[in-house]
Amino acid sequence: MAKTLGPVKRKFSPWTDPASVPFIRFENITKRFGNFTAVDNLTLDIYEREFFSLLGPSGCGKTTLMRMLAGFEEPTEGRILLQGKDISGVPPYKRPTNMMFQSYALFPHMSVEKNIAFGLKQDNLAKGEIDTRVEEMLKLVKLEQFAKRKPAQLSGGQRQRVALARSLAKRPKVLLLDEPLGALDKKLREETQFELMDIQQTLGLTFLIVTHDQEEAMTVSDRIAVMDKGIIMQVATPAEIYEAPNSRYVADFIGDINILEGTVTQTDSALGAPGLVRIDSDGLSVAAEQECQAVKGDHVAYAVRPEKVRISQEQPADTSLNAAYGEVWDIGYLGDFSVFLVKMEDGRIVRAAQANVSRLVDRPITFGDMVWLTWSRDAGLVLTR
Amino acid sequence: MTKNRLDATVLTLGFAFLYIPIIILVVYSFNASRLVTVWGGFSLNWYVSMWSNQGLMDAAWVTARVGLLSATFGTILGTLAALTLVRYQKFPGKMLFSGMIYAPLVMPEVITGLSLLLLFVAIGVDRGFWTVIIAHTTFTMCYVAIVVQSRLLTFDRSLEEAALDLGCPPVKTFFQITLPLILPAVISGWMLAFTLSLDDLVIASFNTGPGATTLPIKIYSQVRLGVTPEINAICTILIALVTLGVIATSIGTKRAEVRRIRDEHMALRTGS
Amino acid sequence: MADTTADNPHANPARWLVVAVPYLWLLLFFVAPFLIIFKISLSDTAIAMPPYTPVFGGWAAISDFVSELDIENYLFLTEDPLYFQAYMSSLRIAAISTFLLLLIGYPMALAMARAPNSIRPILLMLVILPFWTSFLIRVYAWIGILKPDGLLTLALQTIGLMGPDEQVEIFRTDTAVFIGIVYSYLPFMVLPLYAALEKMDNTLLEAANDLGCPPWKAFWKITFPLSLPGVIAGSMICFIPITGEFVIPDLLGGADTLMIGKTLWTEFFSNRDWPLASAVAVVLLLMLVVPIAIFQNQQKKVA
């Protein structure tokens, strides 16, 4: 039975097709500021019409990478290709990219429509054409009645939409968005995420977004590049990043996860082939069914996400399941979920999350209860990095 | 609250010290008597005689022209200097440059005045109207640079980047985005430069020549001969002009503040 | 890292005009004059106009020129005790005035910083306003007050502190000079102090009080040390120009009030001895190099 990782958002995956040509190509890019290396020999392909996210903590080099594409920084080494053409040395005002700034950077002395028209005026378009385009943009972001206002007279959400309209007005080949929703409150942010996706698909543009918010990246992106210290840790779809992280760093950075350090005790297939891997983690034996990337005796990490761990007061009958026994140490009630922190005999803590599917519970699990944690062999993952 | 009362006392005494001499000067400009200590009744005599004092009026006219021109040159150069200080991280001689900006602010005027004069003599320039303007431009530009610099330090660079990103070349970006936004600082720099030029005695004395006697030089030479109520009158007019200017500016700022608050309310009302 | 466009090699070459124009202007009209003043201070007094032997005489004259340089003007400065006394007196007057300014300015700045937010802008404007009115006028205003038959005498006689035949003997003394200096420079002292005190976090003092430190002690342990940058900036902004002050000692001081700015003025305008005036200026400048360096350092930290 062929299984996929998580839900499929849309049928769009040029990166799986070896014949497709990348739209943007970062080729062995290094950027140094004095002694500090912000981006370290990085190579990355982004495809046309893709919604691509650069995700990472602050200082990981994601913004620098984006600013190099916009032309505000020049790479120290390497080159950037846009539609196969090297764009190094092209100043920002001659690049077919437009950027939406984190601070929005709306010109405070110009009205909303003047802000949106600014880029079009630079191209010396006819006045009539500019007016039509501005109107179109105002309609797109639903700000028609605010055309004459100054940015100071708008709320945060409206400013964000003006910034978006301004950067879209020139119909750039690539739209760069630097933490576009960072300044909005949670509710507005969620709404706007879907608006962004809509606009991207309607206009058929390539979007490159920089964010430190993993939820935002997961929601909007076709693919995510997780960055750390100037290098890319993993490039994959949101579901792959979440369900099949390639390293401890990515697993830990995205979502919540239990990581157990251990040693491989048994593999039943050749390296790289699917099969069963057994790991001993300080006396706790766990099994994983996956493509094996390690051999017996290797030190690895075993990772399993809390929502895939079941908690029960009865010992499981199915011996093929992974199981751990311990005492309920703490409970976090989050409304939709409850997180149980279970302390095993050796003192290590394993987290299990359970959806609160009904309002009333017969026999609630509480502090001090002895419980069994179980999870299937395909729930967890062996990480070698 | 004793602390508040102490503070109030300190401020009252301090401001009394600062303002009483000026108030006395203004009041006595309307004194009918020539004697300082005798109040001879209200009179506009001294304003009339000031008006008919050709030397004084000529000096005032020279001063106004020197002030307008040197403040304008000083503002242009000072704004460029501020841009250099803030925007150019490293270039050869940056240390020397910032030294040349800060030093004139505290340099005793006799040194600045004398050294500039010697330069003019050495390169064979006749002293007069234009040498005073050059001298005033040189020291006022440093004040302008400081004023504009402090505005540029808080300037959001992403505004300029946004303009570049939207296809606007750098020089055009400066005139369309940067300059309009720093204009209030540039204007107050200009006003500062203008008053400094209006006020200067020492540097102008060294660098002036025939036919370019400025008002402070004129006032100084008359003051040396003794207090004349005519000087009180012209001083009062200068004080009134400056006070009006300052009040007008502060009303302007107040207006801008009111507008800002109104804008914020508008933004809140319309919601997201 | 913030300044990126400046590092951008593809930036407009016209950008360098922005640097070049003010740079060249200051080199020509601020630095070059210092080199000239230094040269002239080493040349002989001549009767001709300009009253010194020219220093620019083509390349051929350079060797002559070098051999003609002499330090006679500087020797003269050391020979005549008047100059030494004038320098010392200037430094003394500047130091005492700066101290007086701190003594008066600090409580004012502190009171302003502690005033309610609503009236602070007004107080600030009240401090700045005299600065916008002419320096010369403000000094001149004091003449009418301090003269023996001036308003101070009149006021003291009126309230009976002084007999009808007595007069205030302040005008044309050092006291008058101190009054004039403190009066003229007070805004320059108050503004940097206020800037330093105003941005101080009030909760620091609350924290100190909360931890058992009484208010007066909290002032010396918290407020004053944190306001030191303002104290240094204000002191330098006052001390340096006061040392070379001319207008105030000339209008308010007496014949025995020695200040080097006045000496320089006299050498230049009355005695027409330009080389000696230059030597006086060079020595004054050398004396002020250290305070100016302190001031610049302070300004750079603020910027």
Side-chain angles (χ1 to χ4, degrees):
Chain A
M1 44 178 185
K3 288 187 179 178
T4 56
L5 292 169
V8 177
K9 209 185 298 180
R10 58 171 177 155
K11 284 202 164 32
F12 175 79
S13 54
W15 52 89
T16 55
D17 176 6
S20 62
V21 183
F23 195 59
I24 304 162
R25 186 180 180 102
F26 293 94
E27 204 174 86
N28 303 102
I29 293 290
T30 297
K31 176 68 184 177
R32 277 186 285 267
F33 295 103
N35 291 326
F36 175 72
T37 305
V39 176
D40 192 1
N41 193 20
L42 178 148
T43 297
L44 176 67
D45 288 340
I46 297 170
Y47 294 87
E48 193 165 7
R49 292 166 176 265
E50 191 173 2
F51 202 135
F52 194 95
S53 295
L54 295 169
L55 175 65
S58 61
C60 72
K62 56 188 193 300
T63 304
T64 307
L65 198 61
M66 172 183 274
R67 290 172 59 84
M68 285 193 280
L69 183 55
F72 299 127
E73 316 275 357
E74 282 294 322
T76 315
E77 283 160 31
R79 53 186 199 149
I80 301 172
L81 304 175
L82 183 65
Q83 289 181 301
K85 260 185 264 149
D86 188 353
I87 54 168
S88 34
V90 179
Y93 50 95
K94 288 185 183 152
R95 291 196 184 194
T97 57
N98 282 136
M99 184 155 166
M100 186 182 144
F101 289 78
Q102 185 174 9
S103 62
Y104 306 148
L106 297 178
F107 307 131
H109 55 308
M110 297 182 192
S111 65
V112 167
E113 54 182 7
K114 289 250 168 64
N115 262 284
I116 297 174
F118 187 88
L120 301 168
K121 281 187 188 151
Q122 307 307 321
D123 289 353
N124 295 321
L125 293 183
K127 185 161 186 316
E129 197 173 342
I130 293 178
D131 291 347
T132 337
R133 199 81 83 75
V134 169
E135 228 162 277
E136 203 178 292
M137 284 299 135
L138 284 169
K139 209 163 160 193
L140 183 74
V141 295
K142 306 187 190 80
L143 284 174
E144 294 101 317
Q145 71 269 45
F146 297 106
K148 303 283 181 208
R149 287 216 186 164
K150 292 276 179 70
Q153 298 167 326
L154 299 175
S155 70
Q158 290 164 343
R159 284 180 211 171
Q160 190 266 351
R161 299 220 291 278
V162 177
L164 182 64
R166 187 179 69 179
S167 53
L168 282 170
K170 293 183 83 169
R171 305 229 176 93
K173 286 181 180 162
V174 187
L175 183 69
L176 311 175
L177 303 103
D178 187 2
E179 305 271 5
L181 311 175
L184 305 181
D185 59 49
K186 193 171 185 318
K187 233 185 163 128
L188 194 55
R189 195 158 62 215
E190 279 166 10
E191 275 172 42
T192 317
Q193 281 169 4
F194 289 101
E195 271 179 35
L196 268 185
M197 291 160 69
D198 253 12
I199 288 173
Q200 190 253 349
Q201 296 203 6
T202 318
L203 301 181
L205 298 175
T206 309
F207 274 29
L208 175 61
I209 179 169
V210 154
T211 180
H212 68 277
D213 179 345
Q214 40 150 318
E215 248 177 71
E216 187 173 306
M218 303 277 280
T219 311
V220 298
S221 319
D222 292 312
R223 281 191 306 156
I224 298 173
V226 180
M227 288 185 68
D228 182 40
K229 294 184 185 120
I231 58 171
I232 288 182
M233 300 302 292
Q234 186 171 13
V235 184
T237 64
E240 282 166 351
I241 293 268
Y242 188 79
E243 303 292 358
N246 66 356
S247 58
R248 292 177 181 87
Y249 179 84
V250 175
D252 202 30
F253 186 76
I254 309 281
D256 201 3
I257 201 158
N258 295 299
I259 293 185
L260 301 166
E261 295 293 331
T263 316
V264 176
T265 54
Q266 185 198 331
T267 56
D268 70 353
S269 58
L271 208 62
L276 188 75
V277 190
R278 279 192 180 281
I279 291 137
D280 175 72
S281 170
D282 286 340
L284 178 71
S285 175
V286 286
E289 211 146 328
Q290 65 170 101
E291 284 171 15
C292 183
Q293 303 294 346
V295 295
K296 196 174 162 183
D298 278 1
H299 183 83
V300 294
Y302 179 80
V304 61
R305 297 213 179 261
E307 78 276 7
K308 297 186 172 61
V309 177
R310 302 190 54 121
I311 187 165
S312 155
Q313 278 152 321
E314 281 99 44
Q315 185 165 9
D318 185 351
T319 52
S320 72
L321 290 175
N322 292 303
Y325 185 64
E327 181 195 347
V328 176
W329 182 249
D330 208 345
I331 302 172
Y333 176 74
L334 306 176
D336 48 355
F337 268 88
S338 292
V339 179
F340 296 88
L341 272 62
V342 176
K343 194 176 192 181
M344 301 193 297
E345 272 167 7
D346 59 11
R348 281 185 292 172
I349 298 218
V350 177
R351 275 165 299 175
Q354 235 170 15
N356 297 318
V357 287
S358 55
R359 292 170 54 226
L360 307 167
V361 186
D362 276 345
R363 248 184 75 205
I365 296 170
T366 185
F367 301 101
D369 286 356
M370 297 306 288
V371 291
W372 286 93
L373 300 175
T374 55
W375 62 97
S376 63
R377 285 179 177 177
D378 58 8
L381 203 63
V382 176
L383 301 172
T384 52
R385 279 169 66 197
Chain B
M1 298 294 278
T2 51
K3 195 167 152 191
N4 283 351
R5 198 173 296 162
L6 183 70
D7 282 357
T9 313
V10 165
L11 287 177
T12 311
L13 289 176
F15 287 127
F17 176 59
L18 281 177
Y19 282 94
I20 284 175
I22 298 176
I23 293 168
I24 290 175
L25 187 104
V26 172
V27 169
Y28 274 82
S29 72
F30 299 106
N31 188 1
S33 161
R34 175 169 276 278
L35 294 167
V36 186
T37 44
V38 180
W39 181 252
F42 180 86
S43 150
L44 290 174
N45 272 353
W46 306 116
Y47 289 86
V48 176
S49 73
M50 171 202 87
W51 195 253
S52 50
N53 182 335
Q54 193 55 41
L56 215 54
M57 286 297 110
D58 286 349
W61 175 232
V62 168
T63 304
R65 280 187 302 156
V66 166
L68 288 172
L69 286 169
S70 66
T72 305
F73 297 148
T75 302
I76 294 167
L77 286 166
T79 304
L80 292 177
L83 281 167
T84 304
L85 283 175
V86 178
R87 294 297 175 76
Y88 294 69
Q89 299 301 48
K90 274 180 234 131
F91 63 89
K94 168 107 195 225
M95 280 278 283
L96 173 66
F97 187 76
S98 63
M100 291 192 298
I101 294 294
Y102 288 117
L105 301 179
V106 289
M107 189 61 69
E109 290 164 328
V110 283
I111 299 183
T112 316
L114 175 61
S115 59
L116 249 179
L117 156 83
L118 296 177
L119 172 83
F120 291 136
V121 172
I123 57 179
V125 174
D126 285 339
R127 283 175 289 150
F129 185 70
W130 286 100
T131 49
V132 177
I133 286 178
I134 289 175
H136 281 184
T137 301
T138 307
F139 86 95
T140 57
M141 70 175 273
C142 301
Y143 285 86
V144 176
I146 300 299
V147 173
V148 176
Q149 172 186 242
S150 65
R151 172 66 187 94
L152 280 175
L153 283 172
T154 59
F155 189 89
D156 181 5
R157 293 297 299 276
S158 62
L159 291 171
E160 289 166 0
E161 288 181 346
L164 291 175
D165 186 63
L166 292 165
C168 192
V171 175
K172 203 171 162 194
T173 297
F174 176 79
F175 285 105
Q176 292 205 342
I177 306 296
T178 318
L179 191 58
L181 293 175
I182 63 168
L183 200 60
V186 173
I187 290 173
S188 53
W190 187 91
M191 284 176 55
L192 182 60
F194 183 71
T195 29
L196 285 168
S197 167
L198 219 62
D199 195 17
D200 168 66
L201 165 69
V202 176
I203 293 174
S205 297
F206 278 103
N207 291 291
T208 192
T213 304
T214 64
L215 199 52
I217 296 175
K218 192 83 193 165
I219 293 176
Y220 173 73
S221 63
Q222 295 210 358
V223 163
R224 297 221 58 181
L225 302 174
V227 176
T228 65
E230 227 171 70
I231 299 293
N232 285 2
I234 197 154
C235 290
T236 301
I237 286 176
L238 283 177
I239 291 169
L241 281 178
V242 169
T243 311
L244 279 180
V246 172
I247 288 172
T249 327
S250 71
I251 287 174
T253 340
K254 197 87 194 166
R255 282 240 182 92
E257 180 82 352
V258 169
R259 198 177 321 127
R260 193 180 58 77
I261 291 169
R262 204 190 52 214
D263 287 354
E264 270 167 17
H265 281 209
M266 212 161 161
L268 280 179
R269 258 209 321 278
T270 52
S272 59
Chain C
M1 227 183 293
D3 193 39
T4 49
T5 14
D7 301 331
N8 192 334
H10 311 286
N12 199 328
R15 290 173 45 78
W16 292 104
L17 271 179
V18 173
V19 180
V21 173
Y23 205 131
L24 291 177
W25 182 281
L26 286 171
L27 279 181
L28 181 58
F29 295 116
F30 187 69
V31 176
F34 281 116
L35 302 178
I36 292 175
I37 203 174
F38 185 66
K39 264 184 195 164
I40 289 173
S41 71
L42 292 169
S43 63
D44 289 322
T45 313
I47 309 300
M49 180 75 196
Y52 62 89
T53 42
V55 283
F56 296 103
W59 291 109
I62 281 187
S63 58
D64 292 347
F65 165 70
V66 171
S67 61
E68 272 168 23
L69 290 180
D70 61 47
I71 54 166
E72 135 190 21
N73 294 309
Y74 291 94
L75 288 177
F76 186 68
L77 286 186
T78 60
E79 279 161 15
D80 191 337
L82 188 73
Y83 295 100
F84 181 73
Q85 282 167 13
Y87 282 117
M88 286 303 115
S89 166
S90 293
L91 288 178
R92 185 181 61 91
I93 289 176
I96 295 173
S97 314
T98 305
F99 181 71
L100 291 173
L101 280 161
L102 264 177
L103 224 53
I104 298 170
Y106 203 103
M108 278 184 77
L110 191 63
M112 282 170 66
R114 287 202 297 223
N117 267 332
S118 53
I119 63 163
R120 265 194 232 165
I122 299 169
L123 295 176
L124 192 63
M125 197 161 99
L126 282 175
V127 174
I128 294 173
L129 197 60
F131 170 74
W132 289 88
T133 57
S134 169
F135 185 72
L136 186 61
I137 293 174
R138 284 179 293 142
V139 176
Y140 161 72
W142 278 99
I143 299 179
I145 298 173
L146 296 179
K147 280 201 309 185
D149 57 346
L151 288 163
L152 188 59
T153 304
L154 186 70
L156 290 176
Q157 284 173 345
T158 311
I159 59 173
L161 279 177
M162 214 171 241
D165 303 327
E166 288 175 276
Q167 284 183 329
V168 179
E169 305 285 345
I170 293 181
F171 187 52
R172 301 232 170 267
T173 67
D174 283 5
T175 314
V177 173
F178 282 124
I179 292 175
I181 290 176
V182 169
Y183 178 71
S184 307
Y185 282 86
L186 193 57
F188 291 95
M189 182 57 96
V190 173
L191 287 178
L193 286 175
Y194 172 74
L197 288 166
E198 190 252 341
K199 67 181 174 212
M200 196 154 41
D201 186 353
N202 218 8
T203 55
L204 293 179
L205 289 178
E206 289 173 1
N209 290 347
D210 182 57
L211 294 167
C213 187
W216 61 271
K217 212 169 163 187
F219 172 81
W220 286 112
K221 296 247 176 210
I222 314 277
T223 311
F224 188 73
L226 284 173
S227 68
L228 268 179
V231 172
I232 294 172
S235 302
M236 291 303 135
I237 288 174
C238 294
F239 179 83
I240 300 166
I242 293 173
T243 310
E245 186 55 57
F246 160 72
V247 177
I248 299 171
D250 187 62
L251 291 183
L252 298 178
D256 55 341
T257 305
L258 276 178
M259 282 197 82
I260 200 68
K262 221 176 111 185
T263 311
L264 191 152
W265 185 281
T266 314
E267 290 301 344
F268 182 84
F269 285 105
S270 308
N271 303 347
R272 304 198 69 76
D273 191 341
W274 292 20
L276 188 62
S278 301
V280 169
V282 169
V283 173
L284 175 59
L285 188 63
L286 291 177
M287 277 175 15
L288 294 176
V289 160
V290 173
I292 290 175
I294 295 173
F295 168 73
Q296 297 216 338
N297 209 18
Q298 196 68 35
Q299 289 303 301
K300 246 175 254 161
K301 270 188 225 154
V302 178

